[in-house]
Amino acid sequence: DRGLAGRELTKEEAVSYASMVRRRLSMEPLQYVLGKWDFLDFTLAVRRPCLCPRPETEELVEHAAADARKILR
């Protein structure tokens, strides 16, 4: 199996990749498969049963922070 870098995957990489593909095919959220996800300026560890960070939530936090800054001025 060739990876994205054009090199042969090690056996461990191929097994890990196949496992990740199976998890996605079973509709497991990508955040859980990767085990981390960017949210604002942070990279969060993500696993069950936590909620997956979503772009809509990031936007809501940005609006709330802007409102809080206005109030605190």
Side-chain angles (χ1 to χ4, degrees), residues 54-73:
R54 299 184 49 88
E56 298 87 354
T57 308
E58 190 169 343
E59 187 175 343
L60 179 65
V61 169
E62 289 171 342
H63 285 292
D67 290 346
R69 282 191 290 276
K70 290 177 192 173
I71 292 169
L72 295 173
R73 284 187 199 172

Side-chain angles (χ1 to χ4, degrees), residues 18-34 48 50 52 54:
S19 171
M20 294 172 87
V21 168
R22 277 192 302 277
R23 291 171 67 187
R24 281 300 294 142
L25 288 173
S26 70
M27 304 304 290
E28 184 171 350
L30 182 59
Q31 294 92 331
Y32 292 160
V33 173
L34 297 177
R48 292 184 186 271
C50 74
C52 294
R54 299 184 49 88

